[in-house]
Amino acid sequence: MKEKLGKLVENLDYTLLSAVVILCFYGLLVLYSSTRSGLGSIPEDPFFYVKRQFLWMVVGFIGLAILVFIDYHHFVKYSSLLYFLTVFLLIIVMFFGRTTYGARRWLSLGPFDFQPSEFAKVALIIFLADFLAKNKLKLDNFLYFLWPFAYTGVLMFLVFIQPDLGTSLVYLAILIILLFVVGVKLKYLATVFLIALSSFPILWFFLLKEYQKRRIILFLNPQLDPLGGGYNIIQSKIAIGSGGFLGKGLLGGLQSQLKFLPAQHTDFIFSVVGEELGFVGAILLLGLYTVVLWRGIKIASEARDLLGALLATGAVSFLFFHIMVNMGMAMGVLPATGLPLPFLSYGGSFMVSNLLVIGILLNVEVHKIKW
Amino acid sequence: MKESSTVPEEVKQRINWLLIFIIVSFCFLAINLWYLQVIKGEEFKERAVKNCIRSLVEEAPRGHIYDRKGEVLVTNRPVVVVSIIPEEVENLEELSKRLGGIIDLPEEVIREKVEKHSAEPFKPVEILEDCPLALTIEIEERKTELKGVVLEVKPRRNYLNQELAAHSLGYVGEIDQEELQKLGNPQLQGGDIVGKAGLEKYYDSFLRGKKGQKEVEVDALGREVATLFSQKPVAGNDLLLTMDKDLQTYAENLLEGKRGSIILSHPYSGEILVLANKPSFDPNWFTEEISYADWEKISLDPDYPLINRAVQSIYSPGSTFKIVTALAALEEGVTDSQRKIYCSGNFKLADQVFTCWKRGGHGNLNLIGALAHSCNVYFYTLGKELGVQKMGRYMDKLGLGEKVGIDLPAEATGVIPSPEWKQREFKEIWFPGDDVNLSIGQGYLLLTPLQMHSIICAVATAGDIYRPHLVKEIISPEGEVFEKTEPEISKKVNISANTFQLIQKGLRATILEGTGWQANTKELSLAGKTGTAQNPQGESHAWFVGFAPLEKPEVCITVFVENGGEGGEVAAPLAREMLEKYFNLPEPE
């Protein structure tokens, strides 16, 4: 047992792990810069947010360590249980959740808040990977192919009504990418896409909340309401653009230090990076993400079996979708869906779920060999 | 130990496609970053700075104005001004609607104001001055949705006694283009408040003070987080007036319902204690934004309430001018204390007949009697014998035709007729009849009440005309005397003491036994002269000029009532009441 543990540690993908650790500290630095002067009602301790974030990071790394060493073939046995537990938690949130900014997303656990929809991402990756690996052949049947949509749809619906359009889209992205990778017929995917597109009017007129519609409209034309919703996007673009090549230096961002940026420690933290650390800092960040995703893809294609490949792909797609949507939003090239940036945005549950999927990646990586 | 992977090739291929998709996506992000930060970087940098640096001008409080006893007449009160900084506005239409809803102003009005000042986008455009407290609080609370709106506390001129001494104090207003060029002070900019009339204008450079400037960094909510540069405003200097508020109030009450002026001054220093004019106006009207309709109402009022009659309006002096004729005649030897002239009520000159106001005639009168009873015939005779040239010489000596030199703007100099003047104005020669008219202060001659006052001062002091002034001291904001007005003889009248003495006797007789008897008070040895000036505008103007006490003159007084009627009936009693107030005499039974 001890020998096996030693071998596992020896075989860990240190490139991936280093990239993640650097990202975490990079994140703490930027978080400090954007929150040290306080955000409204928060106490005056300039390290208030940094300390809390660090604490969650530690929790995340412990979770990651545990996850790495349990062969994924063992824990996928509980994937159904995990799935139903997630559904249960999301229903609990519906009734007992704490509401902030008009969204009911959090469960209070003593002094900390816990966001089930974040853990749902990890659970969904495991559940779908297991389900798809087991039923790969049946997916040739179009009706069967729709099953995973049903499973995912339940989660999407529960999160959508919180309301949290962004997160429900993350679930969908994970599903689509996994279906693509597992090898379903492309015309099936195309069919689903067409159905989605044709049902868009129904979504628009009956399901989307006013603020969600506004976001889409404002993405198309932020100048429409520069003081309201479009304000975020404009200010964020000004922040990033004004950073120039080298940036204004940490703590030196006019926009971020003066709080022109909305949610500058969560959804718009990339704007702080852009403003204070410039093109160089932003590209460095993008580079670190590239390393993480590239190692993830490598792990997926070198996995021992389909299950491992799908688990790794799920992890990659989760991180990729967040990075893409978040940065795209901050730069004003994608609609504002309010998704946080992995390893950087402030938020405990999100931080832990990021590190857990890294745990999944490392797990698949060290177990590509049967010990 | 190593087992080969069982991942299907097809899956591996799809994973590679995913990798390509990720790489393409990241390249897309990187290109966008390059575009935003490197290509457009400078542009965004500018926008970021504009986003958060605000340059504000802090108005300097104007100096206060006090009466001679130190009572405050003019001060400043803080008002909240709601302004919009055009540069910070992102959607003017929306903002106008929101702000208009709070301060109850049509949104188009707000929009127009801001658009008019779009050339200077960083300068706050005043939307509402003197914003009520409740609205100020509401604006403060809704700051986030009112980006670009700033609240500034500014000093506003406050005339504590409304109409009191309004013509002397004047008023302030926004500088206009002409003043901007004329004053040529680089400190002054459009929108600045400057003195527009009265002392406010005359002493503007002292009262104005120095504006302060502040550059502040503001956060997204418009809260000031840091001061980058700050220059505190310097308050203007205070004015301590020679004017006495109680006497001024009393004088204005005497004039209530009339059109006219009262001037009361110390002849040996030139200090003016009373400079009252009616009708009057409230200078506070001008500190608020005056509407065009209101402005029209004031400026087109047929009674001209804005005019400082004592200083800016010219009238026939009538019989009060006989003092000047008498001075000239005595000095030129045309008459003396003994010469008597017979008044039959008529004076013939060629085929013209000039009448005395007393139809039956005064009979035989010497100069003192002629002054006392204001006999026209006596002075017609002197005028005819003197001629305009000689009379003109004495008008010159008294300084008529020049400004008296009071510390107020726009002083009028009167109309001093002469043959050259008549030729120039009317292309006509000077007739002997014109001499006769001039001798009793009728005809072409027009003087301001202040000029008449200057003449009576010269008589009181026997030749020394002190420059009349309203400001005693200019006091710095720290309370030190910055400048003190020393008594200054502006005109030394070269006329013999005997002549003045004789005139003084005549003026004393006027009060005791002549036309000025209604000005008489037992306790006071007053000397004076009445005047009833006929004029083409209607009823005669009532005049009274005088000084007291005779032996050692302490005050000179001029009372003028436009179209008031007989000088002895209307002006003289007012002079008596004024002097009784000044000398603290008991009201006669």
Side-chain angles (χ1 to χ4, degrees):
Chain A
M1 177 69 189
K2 212 178 171 189
E3 190 193 347
K4 187 188 164 193
L5 210 67
K7 285 231 166 83
L8 283 179
V9 171
E10 218 173 284
N11 279 278
L12 274 177
D13 184 341
Y14 284 102
T15 311
L16 173 61
L17 204 52
S18 323
V20 168
V21 171
I22 294 171
L23 273 171
C24 284
F25 282 97
Y26 195 114
L28 286 179
L29 215 61
V30 177
L31 183 65
Y32 171 67
S33 177
S34 66
T35 60
R36 74 182 167 126
S37 52
L39 295 160
S41 58
I42 297 305
E44 296 206 344
D45 178 8
F47 289 99
F48 179 82
Y49 286 94
V50 175
K51 282 179 189 163
R52 286 175 78 108
Q53 180 83 334
F54 185 73
L55 203 67
W56 282 111
M57 228 175 250
V58 171
V59 172
F61 272 102
I62 292 168
L64 177 150
I66 296 168
L67 205 53
V68 168
F69 300 114
I70 309 165
D71 189 327
Y72 60 86
H73 294 96
H74 294 298
F75 66 68
V76 292
K77 286 176 194 153
Y78 307 101
S79 69
S80 299
L81 185 65
L82 209 54
Y83 175 79
F84 287 111
L85 182 67
T86 304
V87 173
F88 174 69
L89 283 174
L90 287 174
I91 290 170
I92 297 267
V93 170
M94 243 167 75
F95 294 106
F96 303 105
R98 192 171 59 76
T99 310
T100 8
Y101 302 118
R104 198 182 276 272
R105 295 180 190 169
W106 289 268
L107 279 181
S108 282
L109 287 178
F112 293 106
D113 287 332
F114 164 76
Q115 206 179 336
S117 58
E118 284 303 332
F119 294 96
K121 291 170 188 167
V122 183
L124 185 67
I125 290 167
I126 294 168
F127 176 77
L128 284 178
D130 181 42
F131 179 87
L132 296 177
K134 277 181 190 152
N135 303 298
K136 177 173 165 26
L137 294 175
K138 295 186 195 159
L139 291 170
D140 276 347
N141 179 327
F142 185 73
L143 285 179
Y144 203 86
F145 160 83
L146 291 178
W147 265 113
F149 282 95
Y151 288 122
T152 311
V154 171
L155 294 187
M156 282 176 69
F157 173 74
L158 288 172
V159 172
F160 183 80
I161 58 173
Q162 285 182 350
D164 187 352
L165 175 68
T167 301
S168 67
L169 288 177
V170 175
Y171 302 160
L172 186 63
I174 292 170
L175 172 67
I176 301 284
I177 294 174
L178 282 180
L179 284 173
F180 171 76
V181 167
V182 83
V184 295
K185 288 184 175 142
L186 289 179
K187 63 177 175 191
Y188 285 2
L189 282 176
T191 309
V192 171
F193 178 73
L194 283 176
I195 293 169
L197 206 64
S198 56
S199 68
F200 184 75
I202 299 168
L203 201 66
W204 184 263
F205 290 112
F206 300 108
L207 282 174
L208 284 180
K209 302 229 167 188
E210 208 46 52
Y211 87 99
Q212 290 164 329
K213 288 191 212 170
R214 266 165 60 90
R215 278 185 181 177
I216 295 168
I217 294 170
L218 286 171
F219 161 66
L220 298 171
N221 184 8
Q223 296 294 343
L224 225 54
D225 180 15
L227 278 174
Y231 174 83
N232 298 1
I233 297 166
I234 292 170
Q235 292 299 331
S236 168
K237 277 176 85 168
I238 291 176
I240 296 173
S242 67
F245 190 73
L246 289 174
K248 299 172 184 168
L250 215 56
L251 312 181
L254 281 171
Q255 300 283 299
S256 25
Q257 297 300 328
L258 298 174
K259 301 173 190 70
F260 276 88
L261 290 171
Q264 54 176 330
H265 61 313
T266 56
D267 293 355
F268 280 92
I269 198 152
F270 181 65
S271 321
V272 181
V273 175
E275 185 181 22
E276 302 197 340
L277 301 169
F279 180 71
V280 173
I283 284 293
L284 177 70
L285 182 67
L286 202 55
L288 286 166
Y289 285 134
T290 309
V291 171
V292 172
L293 297 188
W294 161 58
R295 297 308 285 190
I297 290 288
K298 190 166 176 292
I299 288 165
S301 54
E302 289 174 4
R304 195 170 85 202
D305 48 25
L306 183 60
L307 175 62
L310 290 178
L311 279 170
T313 306
V316 167
S317 50
F318 162 37
L319 295 173
F320 168 67
F321 190 72
H322 266 275
I323 295 163
M324 191 64 204
V325 170
N326 180 283
M327 287 192 178
M329 164 187 76
M331 285 185 253
V333 293
L334 287 178
T337 32
L339 284 182
L341 191 59
F343 310 111
L344 265 78
S345 289
Y346 176 77
S349 302
F350 182 60
M351 186 45 123
V352 171
S353 70
N354 290 163
L355 290 169
L356 287 182
V357 299
I358 296 298
I360 292 175
L361 278 178
L362 290 171
N363 187 314
V364 175
E365 190 257 336
V366 292
H367 292 101
K368 68 183 174 201
I369 299 158
K370 193 161 188 176
W371 299 98
Chain B
M1 288 239 284
K2 189 165 176 174
E3 282 180 22
S4 59
S5 165
T6 61
V7 178
E9 269 317 301
E10 165 202 29
V11 170
K12 285 188 180 175
Q13 217 165 14
R14 291 251 170 127
I15 289 173
N16 282 338
W17 278 113
L18 178 61
L19 179 63
I20 290 167
F21 181 66
I22 290 173
I23 290 169
V24 170
S25 301
F26 274 22
C27 284
F28 170 72
L29 287 180
I31 290 166
N32 258 299
L33 272 175
W34 177 264
Y35 173 76
L36 271 183
Q37 301 194 286
V38 182
I39 296 176
K40 289 264 188 174
E42 283 308 312
E43 189 183 308
F44 280 115
K45 245 176 236 176
E46 254 171 56
R47 283 183 68 180
V49 170
K50 281 197 287 194
N51 230 342
C52 61
I53 291 181
R54 191 182 269 177
S55 176
L56 296 172
V57 169
E58 285 186 84
E59 273 180 30
R62 280 176 85 81
H64 298 181
I65 301 179
Y66 304 94
D67 91 329
R68 65 185 295 126
K69 293 179 202 145
E71 226 181 296
V72 187
L73 300 175
V74 185
T75 177
N76 305 297
R77 73 196 162 88
V79 295
V80 175
V81 177
V82 181
S83 307
I84 289 179
I85 300 179
E87 177 60 28
E88 293 184 13
V89 177
E90 312 210 14
N91 185 334
L92 186 56
E93 218 159 301
E94 194 59 37
L95 183 69
S96 306
K97 209 181 288 169
R98 283 185 198 146
L99 184 63
I102 298 174
I103 62 176
D104 195 22
L105 212 64
E107 53 169 308
E108 309 84 56
V109 174
I110 299 177
R111 235 182 20 234
E112 260 170 44
K113 281 189 182 184
V114 175
E115 275 160 4
K116 217 169 70 190
H117 289 85
S118 56
E120 291 175 288
F122 294 101
K123 214 176 130 196
V125 179
E126 273 191 26
I127 303 298
L128 178 72
E129 49 180 320
D130 210 355
C131 180
L133 183 65
L135 299 187
T136 306
I137 292 169
E138 194 177 345
I139 291 172
E140 189 67 38
E141 275 172 352
R142 292 172 62 182
K143 232 172 179 175
T144 30
E145 39 174 322
L146 295 170
K147 197 161 175 279
V149 173
V150 285
L151 295 170
E152 293 171 281
V153 178
K154 288 188 174 178
R156 274 288 172 274
R157 215 50 170 157
N158 191 9
Y159 300 89
L160 295 175
N161 303 292
Q162 288 77 40
E163 297 201 352
L164 183 79
H167 300 96
S168 302
L169 298 174
Y171 53 88
V172 294
E174 208 168 287
I175 193 166
D176 60 39
Q177 210 52 43
E178 201 181 317
E179 290 166 322
L180 208 51
Q181 280 163 8
K182 205 169 71 192
L183 295 172
N185 182 338
Q187 264 255 324
L188 286 169
Q189 301 170 318
D192 282 0
I193 300 297
V194 293
K196 291 279 186 179
L199 294 169
E200 293 274 26
K201 181 172 179 171
Y202 195 88
Y203 289 96
D204 187 55
S205 60
F206 294 98
L207 287 166
R208 201 192 304 128
K210 249 172 110 173
K211 275 181 292 183
Q213 211 180 0
K214 203 162 100 172
E215 269 189 8
V216 291
E217 214 174 302
V218 293
D219 69 10
L221 295 181
R223 292 178 301 205
E224 297 181 9
V225 289
T227 304
L228 304 176
F229 168 80
S230 163
Q231 197 177 13
K232 284 249 161 282
V234 182
N237 296 296
D238 296 340
L239 299 183
L240 182 72
L241 301 191
T242 57
M243 199 190 86
D244 183 306
K245 185 192 152 196
D246 295 335
L247 292 176
Q248 176 81 22
T249 310
Y250 193 81
E252 292 191 11
N253 287 339
L254 288 180
L255 286 173
E256 200 52 66
K258 302 181 172 70
R259 281 173 285 130
S261 303
I262 295 179
I263 309 171
L264 186 85
S265 77
H266 287 324
Y268 281 104
S269 67
E271 288 183 7
I272 294 177
L273 287 91
V274 170
L275 187 70
N277 288 291
K278 281 281 167 176
S280 191
F281 63 95
D282 182 350
N284 289 309
W285 293 337
F286 297 93
T287 60
E288 289 134 34
E289 227 167 287
I290 189 162
S291 73
Y292 186 76
D294 281 345
W295 168 250
E296 215 171 36
K297 207 177 121 214
I298 299 169
S299 60
L300 296 184
D301 187 324
D303 285 345
Y304 302 108
L306 293 179
I307 297 290
N308 185 341
R309 289 177 153 71
V311 179
Q312 297 171 333
S313 297
I314 49 179
Y315 307 95
S316 289
S319 296
T320 52
F321 189 74
K322 286 174 182 162
I323 295 170
V324 178
T325 311
L327 281 172
L330 284 169
E331 284 293 289
E332 292 293 323
V334 168
T335 190
D336 55 30
S337 60
Q338 303 308 316
R339 180 180 175 188
K340 287 190 175 173
I341 294 172
Y342 181 75
C343 168
S344 66
N346 287 323
F347 177 81
K348 288 201 181 76
L349 183 77
D351 52 354
Q352 265 181 296
V353 177
F354 296 84
T355 56
C356 189
W357 63 270
K358 196 172 177 184
R359 288 294 143 129
H362 287 98
N364 263 322
L365 284 173
N366 63 6
L367 179 64
I368 290 175
L371 279 170
H373 299 289
S374 202
C375 174
N376 284 357
V377 171
Y378 192 98
F379 286 94
Y380 289 149
T381 313
L382 299 185
K384 184 191 148 210
E385 291 174 17
L386 277 166
V388 67
Q389 299 297 356
K390 283 181 183 164
M391 277 192 278
R393 202 180 305 156
Y394 289 87
M395 288 196 276
D396 261 6
K397 283 193 181 192
L398 287 162
L400 302 181
E402 308 159 24
K403 285 185 178 179
V404 176
I406 192 175
D407 46 355
L408 284 175
E411 192 194 323
T413 53
V415 173
I416 313 300
S418 68
E420 299 76 41
W421 172 87
K422 198 180 172 192
Q423 187 62 43
R424 202 170 55 237
E425 292 290 314
F426 297 101
K427 311 268 179 283
E428 261 183 34
I429 59 156
W430 187 269
F431 298 112
D434 295 328
D435 291 334
V436 172
N437 272 328
L438 180 61
S439 70
I440 61 157
Q442 293 286 168
Y444 303 113
L445 178 71
L446 297 171
L447 296 175
T448 65
L450 184 67
Q451 283 175 310
M452 246 356 275
H453 189 75
S454 178
I455 292 168
I456 197 66
C457 284
V459 175
T461 61
D464 292 339
I465 300 175
Y466 284 80
R467 194 172 75 80
H469 56 272
L470 279 161
V471 170
K472 203 178 168 77
E473 286 169 7
I474 300 175
I475 300 165
S476 75
E478 292 79 35
E480 284 158 34
V481 176
F482 178 76
E483 222 178 278
K484 205 178 157 88
T485 314
E486 300 294 343
E488 174 206 342
I489 297 174
S490 59
K491 201 94 202 170
K492 216 159 166 72
V493 187
N494 189 16
I495 288 174
S496 74
N498 284 339
T499 300
F500 277 120
Q501 229 167 6
L502 202 59
I503 304 282
Q504 287 175 357
K505 261 188 210 160
L507 298 189
R508 179 64 186 141
T510 306
I511 304 298
L512 289 176
E513 59 202 53
T515 54
W517 64 272
Q518 290 202 47
N520 192 24
T521 307
K522 254 201 340 271
E523 293 84 352
L524 193 63
S525 55
L526 171 66
K529 181 81 194 75
T530 58
T532 305
Q534 286 158 9
N535 64 83
Q537 280 82 37
E539 186 80 32
S540 298
H541 299 320
W543 284 92
F544 182 88
V545 294
F547 62 92
L550 175 70
E551 306 73 31
K552 191 171 176 287
E554 193 183 323
V555 285
C556 289
I557 185 167
T558 299
V559 176
F560 168 76
V561 183
E562 199 174 301
N563 304 122
E566 298 279 327
E569 302 275 334
V570 177
L574 294 181
R576 192 199 69 231
E577 284 188 67
M578 192 67 232
L579 290 167
E580 277 167 353
K581 172 75 180 170
Y582 177 85
F583 287 102
N584 236 333
L585 302 175
E587 290 272 329
E589 303 287 308

